[in-house]
Amino acid sequence: MTSALSELVNILTLEKIGDDLYLGVGSKNDGADATYGGHLLGQATKAAIETVESGKNIHSLHAYFLSGGIPGEAITYFVERLRDGRSFCSRRVVAMQKNKKLLELNASFCVKRVGLKFSVDAPEDFHSLPSPESLPRYKDLMLRQDPIPFREDWALEERGVDVRVVNAPWGSAGLSDRKGIRMWIRLDGQLKLDAATHAAILAYQSDESLADNVLTPFGLTWGSTGVFLVSLDHSMWFHDVIDLNSWHFVEQWPVYTGSERGVASAHVWNAKGNLVASFTQEALVRFNG
């Protein structure tokens, strides 16, 4: 396990400080003055999971970002048990920091069943995509940029997830046919297959570049002069158990930008081309260029 992956596991390892009450470490090097949204999503997801009996896996979450957090300050997570049924259970999580609400998240869990099955096909070029190993690591890709399109401390930070960009404004292939960002991801090292931890890591990673897609049609990033971009809400569906020890392909694309808001969506396929997760986010977008 690399030191970056060890640090990510530490971020998602919460301290139980009371009944359904957890404490998470604060964030750092977020690239902005507030807390990285994925940090809140990952920790809140893990807090919800901690209160659910084994045999039920998370299948969806819906979150609202309410306030920007203070990097470096611990975050408290209050979990409310909304329902415990035989097949499904629901949890509500509130993230607090210095008596200020940062995030509210609702998560649902269910027993795995076998039923009718259909899923969106992997992209037409899936089997001809460049292999992850043929692409530069994210840090190396950023070092090739002149100038680096984001804050340098954020862009060059190792985060425990190995990202290999296929399509992006800062990648050699440019945007995808859907004007979006596509990438391969996997853990930067090996980690025991624990469904709870791998789901929380994917929740953490899902916020990494999704909002960027509402800016890609305009040739902008959140690091561009005059851009103000902040996540408003985030929804995620886990279609199957996630094993991030192996490569997964993430396709993101812009859905809508207007009225100072933007929506972007994403699908995640495993290396076999099976759809394993989907997520969508809305962001506040302001540009004074």
Side-chain angles (χ1 to χ4, degrees):
M1 184 187 301
T2 62
S3 59
L5 179 54
S6 179
E7 175 62 23
L8 178 54
V9 172
N10 181 61
I11 288 171
L12 299 174
T13 301
L14 308 179
E15 178 186 356
K16 184 177 175 62
I17 57 175
D19 291 339
D20 297 342
L21 186 62
Y22 300 88
L23 190 67
V25 298
S27 64
K28 64 176 184 178
N29 291 345
D30 284 343
D33 295 330
T35 295
Y36 165 55
H39 187 103
L40 296 169
L41 287 169
Q43 289 187 337
T45 299
K46 192 65 182 300
I49 290 171
E50 291 288 339
T51 68
V52 176
E53 64 183 18
S54 61
K56 292 188 177 78
N57 292 324
I58 188 168
H59 70 87
S60 69
L61 65 84
H62 305 276
Y64 282 92
F65 299 98
L66 303 177
S67 300
I70 304 169
E73 294 283 346
I75 305 163
T76 305
Y77 294 88
F78 299 82
V79 182
E80 181 182 358
R81 301 182 184 228
L82 299 177
R83 179 178 183 269
D84 281 291
R86 287 179 295 179
S87 298
F88 286 84
C89 66
S90 302
R91 298 291 185 265
R92 175 175 175 264
V93 183
V94 177
M96 299 283 295
Q97 192 181 63
K98 293 186 178 296
N99 296 316
K100 186 178 183 181
K101 284 186 180 181
L102 305 184
L103 176 99
E104 286 198 7
L105 177 145
N106 277 50
S108 184
F109 301 77
C110 68
V111 175
K112 186 174 179 62
R113 306 285 192 193
V114 177
L116 298 175
K117 188 166 185 179
F118 166 84
S119 66
V120 174
D121 291 335
E124 290 185 2
D125 63 346
F126 182 78
H127 295 291
S128 61
L129 290 169
S131 67
E133 291 81 3
S134 71
L135 298 167
R137 290 174 63 89
Y138 193 83
K139 180 180 178 179
D140 295 332
L141 177 62
M142 287 294 107
L143 286 171
R144 297 178 185 179
Q145 310 302 304
D146 186 22
I148 293 176
F150 309 110
R151 238 175 65 173
E152 189 169 308
D153 59 342
W154 181 89
L156 303 182
E157 178 82 2
E158 298 285 1
R159 289 180 178 78
V161 177
D162 187 354
V163 175
R164 307 294 179 102
V165 171
V166 176
N167 296 100
W170 45 90
S172 59
L175 294 174
S176 71
D177 291 343
R178 303 179 75 176
K179 300 186 183 299
I181 298 168
R182 305 195 303 173
M183 67 193 77
W184 290 102
I185 65 168
R186 75 172 176 186
L187 297 179
D188 194 9
Q190 290 290 304
L191 188 64
K192 178 182 177 182
L193 180 51
D194 166 41
T197 300
H198 285 244
I201 290 175
L202 186 60
Y204 175 96
Q205 177 65 23
S206 68
D207 188 52
E208 187 266 337
S209 61
L210 186 57
D212 286 273
N213 289 270
V214 306
L215 293 171
T216 53
F218 310 100
L220 300 169
T221 74
W222 58 263
S224 300
T225 302
V227 170
F228 178 79
L229 180 71
V230 62
S231 303
L232 294 173
D233 54 55
H234 193 97
S235 293
M236 192 165 185
W237 296 266
F238 301 85
H239 310 309
D240 207 342
V241 173
I242 310 296
D243 180 3
L244 288 174
N245 287 306
S246 60
W247 288 109
H248 284 65
F249 183 66
V250 183
E251 180 177 35
Q252 304 172 343
W253 65 92
V255 175
Y256 170 82
T257 303
S259 302
E260 293 194 334
R261 299 190 312 279
V263 175
S265 290
H267 288 322
V268 184
W269 289 271
N270 64 20
K272 296 179 180 179
N274 299 322
L275 185 70
V276 296
S278 304
F279 47 95
T280 295
Q281 186 175 93
E282 184 177 43
L284 174 65
V285 188
R286 289 175 178 156
F287 178 59
N288 295 309

